[in-house]
């Protein structure tokens, strides 16, 4: 049975998902107190000299802590600027380990690089998505606060690196160095949800005295030794487990619901390893421990975020002053392994992937059509199995090339359309989710009208309300519908706060609101805008399944004040809805809500021949 492991609350949570009335267990779990739910979480289930990260000598001298991926065919060249040492005047190397110096496994407890590993104490809180006006509620146990313990490690310039899921919804984060009994306050600078990485800072100079940040190593080869450190189940002293690199491939990131490069290892990863570094024999950090795959049929399958993903995250943050996220192409692709299929599409060679669907919100919708065959990406040929060359003698999923890009980058695609070869350029941008997997800022948007509470549908709300309560129709839309324009949301009536004005509407919870006074709803901000502008006598809400709710406008305004007071609600709407409304689309754009014929996430595609890029 698959289990999701909760860090340092010392409990095990069942990561079960529901398929109508059936209950199945998901084997994916990241090592923290979080769970993912979906209709179907089926898992699809010798380094050459060029695999070494050869940096420009001057860059290597100035920034010894950063590396890049030097595969023979990198999709784009990137010079990474490292976070330096916390004391800028300090010029000595950041690590005592050279590339030719091996760490004695028997003396690893004395290795200096372990001193860069710190314990992270978090007081976890979480928004109440079913009561969106609530402040964040704090997890408690027998009336006491529960502290979750994770791991972080020093990368220099007063910065620490850990997993994004380790500092989710936290109001307070403290860190403690190995061998020190003092805790220091840390600040979360930025979280990369899709890559499950977060950056922390510690302002105290005492914390950094004598500190030596870790050196980021190269992408390892198969069977390379790997050492994972952490504080399993909390623990007072550091724990070390060893193993080897079992596989390197594009991997499903459970927390971020994304597909990025991952390193599979057989070293034990347990609660308390989240955010901890994985080392090679030279004492270099080759990645960040973040999730495990558990089932009755498998064992010792852990995953590490490679340093190439870490460097992408840091570079994104340095470039933009914030994290913009990984871009996507926005197309659903089918493999072209069948010769008859290739012949029908007039593809003369054994290459290419078929475009089956293009997301309207992606820039690819301007240049790609269903039926196009993508045969190259930045002049790198794409095989009929959807793979591209990787390092010297390996192949990897085509979407790996997309993950090497940054938001706003341009990719050149070679396509075959009706037998004709073409070259098109596409701007790559982060994917737009109709139903978001995470909510920026933590607090959901809401507006209350005479006791009717409206809020956007989100995966956290589905998880909190339970899939049975949400209903199959809304759940299907969440899994199979893509956004038709940026800013689109599914707005639902999450609950009804009973009073004399809304009598008869008490059982309309979790219904999607489609129209207000005959106008289709585009998002929660649009609904609030329409309500504010309304001068009619009645407020008419039209819901899914032909339900309708009518409120008298003046009576509703009077009732709302009493309801807020009776229920102790500070405001009738969230702060973001106080901002002026900006229409996200042209009025002439069609707004018919439709349900697609394929899942919107690779986690839910049960057929190996289809994949979102």
């Amino acid at each position: 049975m698959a289990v999701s492991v909760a860090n340092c609350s010392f409990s095990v949570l069942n990561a079960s998902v529901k398929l109508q009335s059936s209950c199945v267990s998901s084997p994916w779990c990241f090592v923290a107190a979080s769970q993912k739910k979906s209709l179907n979480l089926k898992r699809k289930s010798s380094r050459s000299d060029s695999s070494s990260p050869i940096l420009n000598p001057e860059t290597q001298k100035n920034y010894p802590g950063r590396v890049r991926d030097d595969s023979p065919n990198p999709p784009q060249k990137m010079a990474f600027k490292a976070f330096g040492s916390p004391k800028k005047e300090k010029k000595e190397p950041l690590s005592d380990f050279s590339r030719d110096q091996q760490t004695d496994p028997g003396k690893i407890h004395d290795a200096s690089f372990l001193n860069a590993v710190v314990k992270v104490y978090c007081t976890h809180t979480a928004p109440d998505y079913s009561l969106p006006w609530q402040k964040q509620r704090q997890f408690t146990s027998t009336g006491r606060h529960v502290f979750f313990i994770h791991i972080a490690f020093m990368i220099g310039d007063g910065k620490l690196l850990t997993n994004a899921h380790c500092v989710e919804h936290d109001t307070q984060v403290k860190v403690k160095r190995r061998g020190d009994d003092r805790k220091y306050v840390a600040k979360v600078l930025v979280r990369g949800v899709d890559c499950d990485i977060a950056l922390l800072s510690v302002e105290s100079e005492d914390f950094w005295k004598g500190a030596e940040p870790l050196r980021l190593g190269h992408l390892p080869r198969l069977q390379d030794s790997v050492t994972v450190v952490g504080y399993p189940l909390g623990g007072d002293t550091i724990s070390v487990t060893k193993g080897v690199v079992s596989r390197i491939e594009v991997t499903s990131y459970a927390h971020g619901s994304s597909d990025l490069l991952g390193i599979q290892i057989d070293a034990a990863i347990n609660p308390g390893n989240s955010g901890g570094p994985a080392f090679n024999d030279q004492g270099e950090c080759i990645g960040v421990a973040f999730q495990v795959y558990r089932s009755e049929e498998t064992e010792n399958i852990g995953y590490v975020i490679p340093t190439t993903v870490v460097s992408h995250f840091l570079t994104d943050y340095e470039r933009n002053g914030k994290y913009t996220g990984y871009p996507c192409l926005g197309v659903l692709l089918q493999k072209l392994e069948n010769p008859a299929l290739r012949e029908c599409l007039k593809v003369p060679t054994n290459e290419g992937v078929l475009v089956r669907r293009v997301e309207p919100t992606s820039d690819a919708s301007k240049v790609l059509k269903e039926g196009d065959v993508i045969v190259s990406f930045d002049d790198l040929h794409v095989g009929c199995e959807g793979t591209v060359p990787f390092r010297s003698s390996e192949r990897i999923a085509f979407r790996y090339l997309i993950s090497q890009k940054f938001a706003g980058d341009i990719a050149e695609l070679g396509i075959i359309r009706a037998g004709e070869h073409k070259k098109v350029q596409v701007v790559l941008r982060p994917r737009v989710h109709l139903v978001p997997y995470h909510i920026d800022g933590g607090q959901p948007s809401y507006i209350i009208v005479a006791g009717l509470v409206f809020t956007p549908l989100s995966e956290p709300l589905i998880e909190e309300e339970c899939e049975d309560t949400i209903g199959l129709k809304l759940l299907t839309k969440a899994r199979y519908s893509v956004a038709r324009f940026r800013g689109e949301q599914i707005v639902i009536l999450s609950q009804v706060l009973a009073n004399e004005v809304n009598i008869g509407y008490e059982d309309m919870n979790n219904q999607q609101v489609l129209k207000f006074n005959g106008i289709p709803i585009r998002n929660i901000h649009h609904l609030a805008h329409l309500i504010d502008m309304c001068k009619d006598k009645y407020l008419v809400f039209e819901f899914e399944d032909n339900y309708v709710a009518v409120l008298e406008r003046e009576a509703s305004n009077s009732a709302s004040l009493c309801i807020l007071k009776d229920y102790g609600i500070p405001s009738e709407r969230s702060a973001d809805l106080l901002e002026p409304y900006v229409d996200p689309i042209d009025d002439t754009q069609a707004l018919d809500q439709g349900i697609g014929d394929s899942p919107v996430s690779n986690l839910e595609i049960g057929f190996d021949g289809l994949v979102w890029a």
Side-chain angles (χ1 to χ4, degrees):
M1 181 182 67
V3 292
S4 176
V5 192
N7 274 345
C8 308
S9 59
F10 309 115
S11 65
V12 178
L13 304 177
N14 288 327
S16 60
V17 295
K18 297 178 180 177
L19 175 58
Q20 296 181 6
S21 60
S22 303
C23 184
V24 257
S25 293
S26 167
W28 285 105
C29 50
F30 49 91
V31 193
S34 302
Q35 302 180 53
K36 273 320 248 184
K37 299 188 177 185
S38 70
L39 281 175
N40 178 12
L41 290 181
K42 180 176 180 181
R43 170 74 167 98
K44 306 175 202 179
S45 296
S46 82
R47 180 181 64 189
S48 68
D49 293 339
S50 63
S51 64
S52 273
I54 305 172
L55 295 179
N56 176 279
E58 188 63 29
T59 304
Q60 181 66 44
K61 176 182 177 182
N62 294 333
Y63 309 113
R66 188 75 70 84
V67 337
R68 65 183 171 90
D69 178 19
D70 281 287
S71 53
N73 37 31
Q76 81 179 62
K77 296 181 180 179
M78 296 181 287
F80 292 111
K81 177 185 176 183
F83 290 105
S85 168
K87 291 184 175 295
K88 295 184 179 179
E89 68 275 16
K90 190 173 183 178
K91 298 297 184 181
E92 53 266 337
L94 297 182
S95 173
D96 292 336
F97 296 86
S98 68
R99 209 171 272 287
D100 298 325
Q101 181 179 354
Q102 300 290 316
T103 302
D104 183 356
K107 298 181 179 180
I108 196 167
H109 60 280
D110 295 327
S112 61
F113 62 79
L114 293 184
N115 294 327
V117 180
V118 303
K119 186 183 290 189
V120 180
Y121 298 82
C122 301
T123 304
H124 273 217
T125 61
D128 193 331
Y129 297 100
S130 60
L131 302 174
W133 59 84
Q134 292 274 29
K135 297 295 184 181
Q136 291 185 328
R137 69 184 190 278
Q138 196 165 55
F139 291 119
T140 58
S141 176
T142 62
R144 296 173 297 175
H145 295 167
V146 175
F147 294 98
F148 291 78
I149 298 177
H150 310 280
I151 309 299
F153 57 92
M154 302 174 183
I155 60 172
D157 196 26
K159 306 296 191 302
L160 299 169
L161 204 71
T162 187
N163 286 143
H165 73 254
C166 291
V167 290
E168 188 174 31
H169 309 316
D170 295 325
T171 55
Q172 186 181 76
V173 179
K174 293 184 178 180
V175 295
K176 186 173 74 170
R177 290 183 58 175
R178 183 187 181 209
D180 193 348
D181 60 355
R182 291 172 294 175
K183 295 178 183 177
Y184 300 84
V185 174
K187 178 183 178 182
V188 180
L189 294 179
V190 62
R191 295 174 64 246
V193 174
D194 53 0
C195 61
D196 201 6
I197 302 174
L199 195 63
L200 313 180
S201 67
V202 179
E203 295 182 358
S204 173
E205 294 183 359
D206 291 340
F207 177 82
W208 294 101
K209 286 182 179 178
E212 292 189 354
L214 292 182
R215 179 187 182 91
L216 300 184
H218 55 74
L219 193 66
R221 60 183 177 182
L222 298 182
Q223 288 295 308
D224 272 0
S225 296
V226 60
T227 301
V228 178
V229 301
Y231 292 86
L233 298 178
D236 295 323
T237 59
I238 201 165
S239 170
V240 177
T241 58
K242 286 187 67 67
V244 298
V245 174
S246 307
R247 180 185 298 173
I248 299 175
E249 65 176 353
V250 175
T251 303
S252 296
Y253 280 42
H255 180 71
S257 300
S258 55
D259 298 315
L260 300 172
L261 192 66
I263 302 173
Q264 178 184 320
I265 63 175
D266 67 356
I269 294 180
N270 295 295
N273 284 120
S274 272
F279 298 101
N280 60 17
D281 282 343
Q282 287 76 44
E284 298 169 326
C285 173
I286 63 164
V288 187
F290 76 115
Q291 70 183 23
V292 295
Y293 184 93
R294 289 182 177 168
S295 71
E296 295 178 353
E297 294 78 22
T298 62
E299 59 182 17
N300 295 340
I301 297 182
Y303 286 90
V304 171
I305 302 170
T307 50
T308 52
V309 175
V310 172
S311 292
H312 188 286
F313 166 81
L314 295 176
T315 301
D316 187 351
Y317 178 63
E318 291 169 355
R319 282 184 179 183
N320 304 291
K322 62 179 182 179
Y323 181 67
T324 62
Y326 273 84
C328 74
L329 187 56
V331 294
L332 180 66
L333 301 173
Q334 179 179 336
K335 298 177 182 180
L336 288 182
E337 298 175 276
N338 186 276
L341 180 57
R342 292 197 301 271
E343 183 178 354
C344 176
L345 295 169
K346 300 179 181 180
V347 179
T349 56
N350 188 25
E351 63 179 351
V353 285
L354 175 63
V355 176
R356 295 297 298 130
R357 189 176 182 184
V358 184
E359 292 188 339
T361 55
S362 70
D363 279 67
S365 64
K366 302 174 183 177
V367 295
L368 293 180
K369 300 178 180 179
E370 291 185 14
D372 287 346
V373 176
I374 300 176
V375 294
S376 68
F377 185 96
D378 284 347
D379 292 326
L380 193 64
H381 288 286
V382 179
C384 66
E385 292 185 339
T387 60
V388 294
F390 179 64
R391 299 202 285 197
S392 59
S393 59
E394 303 172 70
R395 297 189 70 84
I396 198 167
F398 158 61
R399 53 196 189 279
Y400 166 74
L401 299 182
I402 303 172
S403 71
Q404 299 305 289
K405 297 282 192 176
F406 291 86
D409 285 354
I410 297 176
E412 185 177 72
L413 303 179
I415 67 172
I416 296 178
R417 179 179 295 166
E420 182 183 355
H421 286 263
K422 295 176 176 288
K423 289 280 188 177
V424 297
Q425 290 188 333
V426 178
V427 180
L428 303 175
R429 305 188 189 280
R431 191 178 188 189
V432 176
H433 293 280
L434 178 62
V435 179
Y437 287 93
H438 300 270
I439 296 179
D440 294 336
Q443 287 297 123
S445 303
Y446 74 91
I447 184 170
I448 303 174
V449 182
L452 305 185
V453 182
F454 298 97
T455 190
L457 184 65
S458 65
E459 289 293 338
L461 178 59
I462 292 174
E463 181 175 327
E464 185 166 296
E465 287 289 308
C466 298
E467 294 175 352
D468 288 342
T469 305
I470 288 294
L472 185 58
K473 182 169 287 188
L474 274 182
L475 197 59
T476 302
K477 283 190 176 183
R479 301 293 186 262
Y480 285 82
S481 299
V482 298
R484 297 155 298 169
F485 54 87
R486 292 182 179 272
E488 183 180 19
Q489 294 174 326
I490 295 177
V491 180
I492 67 170
L493 174 62
S494 64
Q495 64 177 301
V496 178
L497 306 177
N499 65 87
E500 66 278 2
V501 178
N502 57 42
I503 292 175
Y505 304 147
E506 297 88 347
D507 297 329
M508 295 179 63
N509 291 358
N510 297 322
Q511 292 287 330
Q512 181 185 1
V513 55
L514 300 178
K515 297 180 180 180
F516 173 78
N517 284 4
I519 302 175
I521 301 302
R522 300 173 183 179
N523 52 46
I524 186 69
H525 209 156
H526 184 221
L527 175 61
H529 171 72
L530 293 176
I531 293 172
D532 292 341
M533 295 296 103
C534 180
K535 304 300 182 184
D536 298 341
K537 181 177 181 179
Y538 296 106
L539 309 178
V540 182
F541 300 90
E542 297 180 45
F543 296 90
E544 192 81 74
D545 296 330
N546 298 312
Y547 285 107
V548 63
V550 178
L551 301 172
E552 202 277 319
R553 181 169 59 87
E554 293 185 0
S556 296
N557 293 337
S558 301
S560 292
L561 297 175
C562 297
I563 292 171
L564 296 181
K565 181 179 180 180
D566 292 343
Y567 285 87
I569 301 172
S571 174
E572 67 168 357
R573 66 184 66 189
S574 53
D576 59 313
L577 300 187
L578 298 174
E579 300 293 330
Y581 172 70
V582 178
D583 199 337
I585 63 171
D586 188 340
D587 287 336
T588 61
Q589 186 167 344
L591 287 172
D592 291 334
Q593 178 69 47
I595 297 177
D597 54 3
S598 59
V600 298
S601 168
N602 287 331
L603 287 173
E604 291 144 5
I605 295 178
F607 173 51
D608 189 52
L610 287 173
V611 64
W612 280 103

